Amino acid sequence: MSKAAWLVFVLSAAGVASLQPRLARTVHGVKERDDVYVLPPPADLHASTLGWDAAAVDLLWAKLLVEYGIHWSEHREFRDVPSYVDAILEIEPTYAPVYRYVDTMLVYRPLQGTEADARAARAYLERGTRERPQDPRVWLQCGQFVAFIAYSFLHSDAERNAWRQDGARFIEHAVELGADADSALAAASILTRAGSTAEAVRYLERAYAFTEHPSMTEVHEAIGKRLAALEVKSAVDRADEAARLVDTRWARELPFLGRGQYMLLGPVADTSRCAGPATIDDDACARDWLSAKPPGSSAGSP
C-alpha cells in the first residue's frame, strides 16, 4: 500500500475515532428525549387492520403497556398515551382494559401528570360509562377517580368540590348496577361534606333497598345506621335554617318587637309589591313562615 493510501486510512480512522463518541451521545440523547408515533390516524386504522380488529387492539394494548414500562424505567416523559388509547377505542370502543387503567396511565405517567391529563382521563372514563353503561366496574372506576384522585390536580376549590360530588354520583350509580355496596358509604360521606345532606339521604335510601339481601346483612345494617344519623342531621339542619330565616328577617323588618311577637305577626311583605292575587307565588310576598324564604334565596321552604 502506498504512503498516500496509508495516510488516507490513518486520517479516516482518526476522524471516526474523534466523531463517533459525540455522534453516539447525540443519538442516545435523541432516543431518550423523543418518541416517534408511527401509527396512522385513528380514522384510518380500520382499513389498516384488514379486518383483524381484535388482534390489532390486543397488539396496540400490549405495545402501550411495554412503552409505559420502558419510559418509567428510563425516567423519560411519555406523552403518547392518548394516541394509543384513541387508536384502540377507534377500533373497539368497549375495550374494558383501557377504561380500567387509562386514568393511572395519564395522571401517573412518566414523569408527572398534569391537570390536563386529569381532565383527559375523566373524559375517557365518562366515555366508558357511555360505551359500557351496564358495567358497574367502569362507573365505580370513574367515580373513584373523579372523587378521590382527579380533584387533587385541580386548582379551583369550587371545581374540586364539584368534581367530588360528581364522583359520588358516579359511585352511586355503580352501586345501583351491583358494585361493592361499601362504596355507598364513601359516596354519602362526600355528599355530606359538600353540604348535600338531603341528596346523601336520598342516595342511601336507594342503597339501603338494594342491599336488602341475606348475603349483604352487614353492609345493609351499616347503611341503615348511617341513614338514620343523616336523617337526624337533616332534620336539625332544617330547624337551624328556619331559625336563621326568622332571625334574619326579624333583625331587618321589626327589630323593636320581641322575637315571639314578630313570629306571631309573620313575615312582613311589601304591600305595594304584593297587592292582588297575581303575587301569591312571589317569594317576597310570603304570607306565612311555611312559604317564607331568606332574602335572595331560591331554596325550598324551611
Side-chain angles (χ1 to χ4, degrees):
M1 183 181 294
S2 66
K3 290 183 179 180
W6 273 109
L7 182 59
V8 171
F9 176 77
V10 170
L11 291 175
S12 299
V16 170
S18 63
L19 293 175
Q20 189 177 39
R22 186 174 61 187
L23 292 174
R25 285 194 300 271
T26 300
V27 171
H28 183 70
V30 169
K31 287 183 177 179
E32 282 193 341
R33 290 193 302 269
D34 302 319
D35 292 296
V36 178
Y37 180 78
V38 298
L39 294 173
D44 300 329
L45 277 177
H46 281 295
S48 304
T49 61
L50 301 176
W52 294 86
D53 288 355
V57 166
D58 289 339
L59 183 61
L60 286 169
W61 180 244
K63 174 68 172 173
L64 173 57
L65 294 178
V66 170
E67 289 294 332
Y68 183 79
I70 289 175
H71 282 74
W72 262 122
S73 66
E74 295 180 353
H75 303 287
R76 289 193 290 130
E77 287 278 7
F78 186 41
R79 299 187 178 90
D80 289 332
V81 171
S83 298
Y84 284 99
V85 171
D86 289 342
I88 292 170
L89 296 181
E90 176 67 26
I91 301 173
E92 189 174 335
T94 60
Y95 193 66
V98 163
Y99 301 119
R100 197 170 304 145
Y101 299 107
V102 67
D103 54 339
T104 300
M105 288 185 166
L106 281 170
V107 300
Y108 296 120
R109 64 174 174 82
L111 292 169
Q112 183 176 357
T114 64
E115 180 176 341
D117 292 320
R119 294 182 186 279
R122 175 175 177 170
Y124 282 123
L125 290 173
E126 288 186 351
R127 177 176 178 179
T129 64
R130 296 190 296 271
E131 299 290 355
R132 302 176 64 89
Q134 302 304 316
D135 189 341
R137 292 173 299 180
V138 174
W139 283 92
L140 185 60
Q141 179 82 12
C142 184
Q144 290 175 335
F145 173 75
V146 173
F148 302 121
I149 299 175
Y151 83 98
S152 63
F153 288 83
L154 305 176
H155 300 295
S156 165
D157 289 338
E159 194 170 21
R160 286 178 178 177
N161 291 332
W163 277 47
R164 296 205 72 179
Q165 292 183 65
D166 290 344
R169 295 183 185 99
F170 289 131
I171 295 172
E172 170 188 349
H173 192 63
V175 174
E176 292 174 354
L177 291 173
D180 182 5
D182 285 332
S183 303
L185 298 175
S189 296
I190 294 171
L191 293 173
T192 304
R193 286 196 297 270
S196 303
T197 304
E199 186 175 353
V201 169
R202 289 193 297 271
Y203 165 44
L204 285 178
E205 285 174 345
R206 292 195 296 272
Y208 188 73
F210 291 137
T211 56
E212 193 171 4
H213 189 275
S215 64
M216 307 178 75
T217 301
E218 185 175 346
V219 174
H220 184 70
E221 291 178 352
I223 291 175
K225 291 178 181 177
R226 183 63 179 279
L227 180 58
L230 281 181
E231 285 175 337
V232 171
K233 183 179 184 302
S234 182
V236 171
D237 288 344
R238 288 195 298 272
D240 289 343
E241 183 182 357
R244 287 194 298 271
L245 166 63
V246 171
D247 290 340
T248 299
R249 297 192 64 154
W250 173 36
R252 187 188 60 165
E253 296 169 355
L254 300 171
F256 50 86
L257 293 179
R259 191 175 189 275
Q261 292 174 309
Y262 173 71
M263 290 187 67
L264 287 174
L265 287 174
V268 177
D270 184 344
T271 54
S272 61
R273 173 177 175 176
C274 301
T279 63
I280 193 168
D281 294 325
D282 189 335
D283 293 339
C285 300
R287 270 71 170 180
D288 54 56
W289 289 116
L290 288 176
S291 55
K293 297 179 183 179
S297 170
S298 59
S301 60

